[in-house]
């Protein structure tokens, strides 16, 4: 096997594994994504430094970063779902709880390891998502909102009803944790990187999908389903596929929570407050821009932590007031700040790859 | 190529299309006229699958399509335009053609890049190449009508259903739209059903005219003969532009 580098003007051609890869050296194509990635990667370090400067314990801050990653893991699939189905799902936390309960029950009752509960949680989310996906065809507007809004309430009620199984507000204890190095801080940092990895993977996948022909067609469905169908797009099929896979992806957040906290408490996550934070993350991320979700996830998680430590009893009020103001000021979300030029939704960017 | 039998569509008490039957042969260009509310758009919507009929059947290329879904009919080669231009308003002109290219039968086999190229070609046919990056909501009605046609053509249809391509245009623009339709018809070997409220230009362009009135088929034949029929003249009484 031979790897050969061939510098050309403005790009580097790499021959490897019998194929040819083009790397454009033009910095504007990769500089900002690389910087963004590096910042994301080194957040625990940055946060630890900041914490030592202002003399507070970094543990709370790392936990906040992990919470941000959870928001991101739920919000990235949700953004794809909103674009691909043209509907806003008000029950993403229902799928989080599905994944959480699946992982917790399997781990506690059958001693199944996190490695195995991961695919099972994903598949349960997938199957329930598939079973529920017809709602994207038969309902829209307020009806869709109400149906999806009811799902988490029903699940929470079920958790209270069979508290012998689901543990109600005390949760399911005795779930195997993923990491136990003996050092709490190290554990937290590893949890950060596990959740980071999931979020980053989702970002890559969704970015790919949105740039593909399907992402483009989803943009059309999002705007006008009738037009899409009149021009040969199988709208229902795309909606069902998107709804199913994004449901599975959200369930993974629950899996992470269960094996991170060593327990899963459904009623703690099946709350309007968590739903609102997720919806704010997607909205403030900036419509149609998947990267913005990462930024808004961190800003919102940090704001929550800051308000919690400074406003005491009024912390929730303060948090939502600040977010209200941000919603009002940032009409195009955080991403709109970065991308000031007139912004067109769903414009597919094309990378021409020459075949060998 | 297209056979419509005893097609009926009701909206509440209104019978928008009432027991309509006709056939269109391959390569024909048929004008469909009638006063406002005659049921022309509803007929187009029935053939394209936008509405399902209450009664009757539709056959396309020898295949029964009465129950086929809209996207299936589009893939089979039935394209339509909308009376009130209906484009994805926050997308550019080019993007509005791309999804039609991707939605066509062979759309699966081509890449997004190739679809880009093809969409440019269809825009160029209608003189819209320079407008390709303009967001559709910023385009005037004349260009919207052209874009509707470009998008329909991008589906590579066999049957093209045009719902009022000239409404809202000035005479010069209408004339040029009509010329373009005749040109694409020859170049792409199309069968066309062309709905128009205004008769004059349509008369010159089509070989056959179907007249609808109150949902019913009133007349069907050569343009010169059809417009002389007393029942057609009567249907248009009060309509100044016959
Ligand atoms: N979606 C609808 N709901 C209710 N009535 C409709 C609908 N579409 C059309 N109609 C009625 O059907 C009749 C035919 O309308 P249409 O097909 O638009 O006529 P045309 O295109 O010939 O002007 C009209 O009386 C119209 O009000
Ligand atoms: Mg009409």
């Amino acid at each position: 096997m031979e790897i050969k580098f061939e510098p050309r003007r403005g790009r580097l051609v790499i021959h490897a594994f019998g194929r040819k890869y083009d790397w454009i050296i033009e910095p504007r194509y990769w500089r900002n994504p690389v910087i963004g990635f590096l910042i994301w990667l080194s957040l625990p370090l940055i946060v630890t430094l900041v914490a030592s400067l202002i003399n507070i314990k970094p543990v709370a801050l790392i936990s906040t970063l992990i919470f941000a990653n959870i928001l991101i893991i739920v919000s990235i699939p949700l953004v794809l779902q909103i674009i691909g189905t043209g509907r806003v799902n008000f029950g993403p936390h229902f799928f989080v709880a599905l994944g959480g309960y699946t992982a917790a029950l399997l781990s506690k009752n059958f001693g199944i390891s996190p490695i195995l509960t991961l695919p099972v949680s994903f598949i349960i989310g997938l199957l329930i998502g598939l079973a529920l996906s017809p709602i994207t065809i038969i309902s829209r507007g307020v009806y869709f909102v109400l149906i999806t809004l009811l799902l988490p309430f029903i699940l929470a009620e079920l958790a209270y009803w069979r508290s012998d199984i689901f543990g109600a507000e005390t949760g399911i204890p005795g779930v195997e944790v993923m990491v136990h190095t003996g050092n709490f801080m190290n554990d937290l940092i590893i949890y950060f990187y596990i959740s980071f990895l999931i979020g980053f993977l989702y970002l890559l996948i969704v970015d790919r999908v949105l740039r593909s022909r399907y992402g483009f067609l989803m943009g059309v469905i999002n705007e006008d389903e009738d037009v899409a169908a009149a021009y040969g797009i199988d709208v229902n099929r795309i909606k069902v596929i998107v709804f199913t896979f994004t449901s599975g992806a959200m369930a993974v957040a629950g899996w992470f929570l269960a094996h991170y906290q060593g327990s899963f408490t459904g009623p703690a996550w099946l709350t309007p407050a968590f739903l609102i934070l997720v919806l704010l993350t997607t909205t403030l991320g900036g419509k149609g821009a998947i990267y913005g979700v990462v930024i808004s996830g961190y800003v919102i998680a940090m704001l929550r932590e800051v308000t919690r430590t400074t406003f005491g009893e009024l912390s929730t009020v303060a948090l939502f007031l600040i977010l209200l103001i941000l919603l009002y000021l940032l009409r195009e979300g955080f991403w709109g700040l970065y991308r000031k030029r007139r912004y067109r939704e769903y414009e597919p960017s094309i990378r021409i790859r020459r075949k060998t | 190529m297209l056979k419509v039998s005893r097609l009926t569509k009701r909206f509440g008490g209104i019978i928008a299309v009432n027991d309509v039957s006709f056939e269109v042969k391959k390569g024909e260009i048929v004008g469909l006229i009638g006063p406002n509310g005659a049921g022309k758009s509803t007929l187009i919507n029935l053939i394209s699958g936008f509405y399902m009929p209450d009664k009757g059947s539709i056959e396309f290329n020898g295949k029964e399509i009465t129950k086929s879904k809209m996207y299936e009919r589009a893939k089979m080669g039935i394209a339509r335009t909308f009376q009130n231009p209906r484009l994805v308003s926050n997308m550019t002109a080019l993007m509005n053609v791309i999804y039609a290219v991707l939605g066509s039968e062979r759309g699966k086999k081509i890449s997004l890049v190739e679809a880009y190229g093809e969409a440019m070609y269809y825009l160029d046919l209608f003189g819209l190449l320079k407008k390709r990056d303009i967001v559709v909501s910023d385009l005037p009605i004349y260009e919207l009508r052209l874009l509707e046609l470009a998008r329909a053509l991008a589906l590579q249809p066999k049957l093209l259903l045009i719902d009022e391509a000239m409404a809202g245009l000035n005479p010069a623009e209408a004339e040029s739209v009509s010329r373009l339709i005749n040109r694409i018809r020859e170049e792409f070997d199309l069968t066309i059903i062309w709905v128009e409220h205004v008769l004059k230009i349509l008369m010159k362009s089509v070989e056959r005219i179907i007249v609808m009135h109150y949902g019913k088929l009133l007349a069907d034949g050569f343009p010169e003969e059809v417009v002389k029929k007393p029942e057609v003249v009567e249907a248009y009484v009060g309509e100044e532009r016959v």
Side-chain angles (χ1 to χ4, degrees):
Chain A
M1 204 175 304
E2 190 188 3
I3 298 177
K4 218 172 75 196
F5 294 93
E6 185 188 338
R8 299 253 184 91
R9 219 181 104 173
R11 66 199 169 97
L12 183 66
V13 182
I14 305 158
H15 300 268
F17 315 112
R19 293 185 69 175
K20 192 167 132 191
Y21 301 92
D22 257 11
W23 190 43
I24 300 161
I25 303 174
E26 178 76 58
R28 70 191 161 100
Y29 284 106
W30 50 265
R31 191 191 57 211
N32 292 350
V34 166
I35 292 174
F37 174 77
L38 289 178
I39 291 177
W40 193 4
L41 200 64
S42 50
L43 271 179
L45 193 72
I46 297 171
V47 157
T48 315
L49 279 178
V50 171
S52 69
L53 281 181
I54 55 177
N55 214 2
I56 55 169
K57 287 220 172 70
V59 168
L61 289 184
I62 303 279
S63 309
T64 305
L65 294 183
I66 295 173
F67 181 69
N69 284 348
I70 290 164
L71 284 179
I72 291 165
I73 292 172
V74 183
S75 297
I76 288 177
L78 186 58
V79 168
L80 180 65
Q81 194 184 82
I82 291 170
I83 295 174
T85 64
R87 286 158 173 76
V88 182
N89 183 348
F90 275 62
H93 47 329
F94 168 77
F95 293 96
V96 174
L98 271 184
Y101 276 133
T102 306
L105 290 173
L106 287 177
S107 174
K108 182 197 163 206
N109 295 334
F110 306 103
I112 295 174
S113 79
I115 297 289
L116 287 174
T117 55
L118 171 63
V120 179
S121 299
F122 177 69
I123 288 165
I124 292 287
L126 212 68
L127 290 178
I128 304 276
L130 179 65
L132 289 171
S133 65
I135 60 174
T136 61
I137 297 167
I138 58 170
S139 66
R140 61 174 144 187
V142 178
Y143 287 89
F144 184 80
V145 168
L146 283 176
I147 291 172
T148 52
L149 198 53
L150 279 176
L151 295 172
F153 278 109
I154 293 171
L155 189 58
E157 285 307 315
L158 286 177
Y160 283 114
W161 175 54
R162 291 308 301 268
S163 53
D164 53 324
I165 303 172
F166 298 107
E169 61 264 82
T170 48
I172 302 169
V175 180
E176 185 188 338
V177 292
M178 272 181 281
V179 189
H180 28 71
T181 58
N183 178 321
F184 188 52
M185 188 64 196
N186 286 348
D187 283 1
L188 275 185
I189 288 177
I190 295 171
Y191 281 120
F192 171 85
Y193 282 109
I194 293 172
S195 52
F196 161 83
L197 219 62
I198 301 169
F200 187 64
L201 188 70
Y202 281 7
L203 191 68
L204 286 184
I205 294 171
V206 171
D207 186 58
R208 264 311 263 258
V209 171
L210 287 180
R211 284 171 196 272
S212 75
R213 57 193 291 124
Y214 292 101
F216 185 74
L217 297 181
M218 284 174 207
V220 183
I221 292 175
N222 188 297
E223 291 299 327
D224 193 333
E225 285 181 18
D226 287 336
V227 163
Y231 286 91
I233 301 168
D234 189 348
V235 174
N236 292 349
R237 186 166 144 258
I238 292 185
K239 285 197 293 193
V240 165
I241 291 175
V242 169
F243 191 84
T244 303
F245 278 92
T246 50
S247 299
M250 290 178 203
V252 171
W255 165 84
F256 175 80
L257 277 169
H259 293 290
Y260 159 55
Q261 300 186 322
S263 69
F264 188 77
T265 314
W269 298 98
L270 292 165
T271 59
F274 182 60
L275 166 67
I276 289 168
L277 290 183
V278 169
L279 290 179
L280 281 166
T281 307
T282 59
T283 308
L284 284 175
K287 234 166 108 201
I290 200 71
Y291 311 103
V293 170
V294 178
I295 302 168
S296 62
Y298 281 102
V299 173
I300 288 171
M302 282 296 173
L303 277 177
R304 193 181 78 134
E305 187 56 27
V306 169
T307 49
R308 192 150 65 181
T309 49
T310 47
F311 289 95
E313 279 180 351
L314 284 177
S315 62
T316 311
V317 175
L319 172 65
F320 287 129
L321 269 181
I322 293 171
L323 290 172
L324 200 68
I325 293 166
L326 282 179
L327 265 182
Y328 179 75
L329 291 178
L330 303 174
R331 289 297 163 81
E332 293 199 350
F334 292 113
W335 195 245
L337 289 178
Y338 171 73
R339 218 165 77 162
K340 286 211 189 66
R341 66 196 160 89
R342 173 158 191 185
Y343 131 89
R344 290 190 193 111
E345 276 170 277
Y346 320 120
E347 184 155 26
S349 60
I350 303 249
R351 295 193 192 116
I352 299 174
R353 189 179 295 149
R354 288 171 192 82
K355 297 199 178 88
T356 38
Chain B
M1 160 167 257
L2 179 78
K3 191 173 166 202
V4 169
S5 321
R6 314 209 61 172
L7 215 55
T8 302
K9 178 72 188 173
R10 284 196 190 83
F11 293 110
I14 302 166
I15 307 182
V17 170
N18 191 353
D19 202 19
V20 168
S21 306
F22 63 91
E23 240 176 281
V24 178
K25 289 197 209 56
K26 189 172 183 319
E28 251 188 320
I29 176 163
V30 180
L32 178 57
I33 62 162
N36 244 328
K40 309 179 296 290
S41 295
T42 306
L43 188 59
I44 296 287
N45 283 330
L46 287 169
I47 299 171
S48 62
F50 225 78
Y51 297 145
M52 290 291 152
D54 296 319
K55 274 197 210 116
S57 67
I58 307 165
E59 229 175 77
F60 179 64
N61 275 338
K63 247 169 67 186
E64 164 99 25
I65 58 161
T66 319
K67 298 234 159 60
S68 302
K69 298 203 183 74
M70 186 153 47
Y71 85 90
E72 290 170 335
R73 297 188 203 195
K75 284 213 191 303
M76 281 176 202
I78 300 178
R80 56 90 50 92
T81 68
F82 292 88
Q83 181 173 349
N84 303 308
R86 195 163 164 184
L87 297 135
V88 179
S89 57
N90 62 352
M91 285 186 171
T92 63
L94 181 66
M95 288 156 81
N96 266 288
V97 182
I98 291 174
Y99 60 76
V101 174
L102 292 173
S104 67
E105 179 57 42
R106 79 206 183 297
K108 266 200 191 101
K109 292 172 213 130
I110 61 178
S111 70
L112 202 49
V113 182
E114 287 166 317
Y116 246 68
E118 264 191 46
M120 298 261 219
Y121 165 75
Y122 290 112
L123 282 182
D124 196 23
L125 269 183
F126 291 87
L128 291 172
L129 199 52
K130 279 196 193 127
K131 311 276 179 169
R132 64 174 180 264
D133 290 328
I134 296 184
V135 177
V136 161
S137 50
D138 297 342
L139 289 176
I141 179 74
Y142 173 58
E143 280 157 2
L144 290 179
R145 294 243 179 253
L146 291 180
L147 188 54
E148 277 265 358
L149 287 168
R151 177 176 68 173
L153 204 61
L155 202 57
Q156 292 206 344
K158 300 183 183 88
L159 174 65
L160 177 59
L161 309 168
I162 302 171
D163 197 355
E164 308 219 2
M166 304 196 290
L169 305 186
N170 67 39
E173 290 167 343
E175 185 67 44
S176 95
V177 165
S178 144
R179 259 202 314 273
L180 276 168
I181 291 176
N182 276 293
R183 196 184 130 203
I184 58 168
R185 179 198 165 206
E186 277 163 29
E187 227 166 278
F188 296 89
D189 206 13
L190 291 173
T191 309
I192 297 179
I193 299 178
W194 185 356
V195 172
E196 211 64 62
H197 185 71
V198 189
L199 252 182
K200 241 190 238 154
I201 299 178
L202 195 67
M203 286 276 293
K204 286 186 287 181
S205 306
V206 302
E207 299 147 353
R208 179 181 152 198
I209 281 189
I210 294 176
V211 186
M212 280 181 82
H213 190 40
Y214 288 127
K216 282 210 151 110
L217 203 144
L218 203 62
D220 182 349
F222 291 111
E224 305 77 29
E225 290 169 16
V226 163
V227 290
K228 287 198 196 97
K229 287 193 180 177
E231 60 265 36
V232 175
V233 175
E234 199 180 326
Y236 268 97
V237 167
E239 297 266 339
E240 46 200 312
R241 282 176 295 194
V242 179

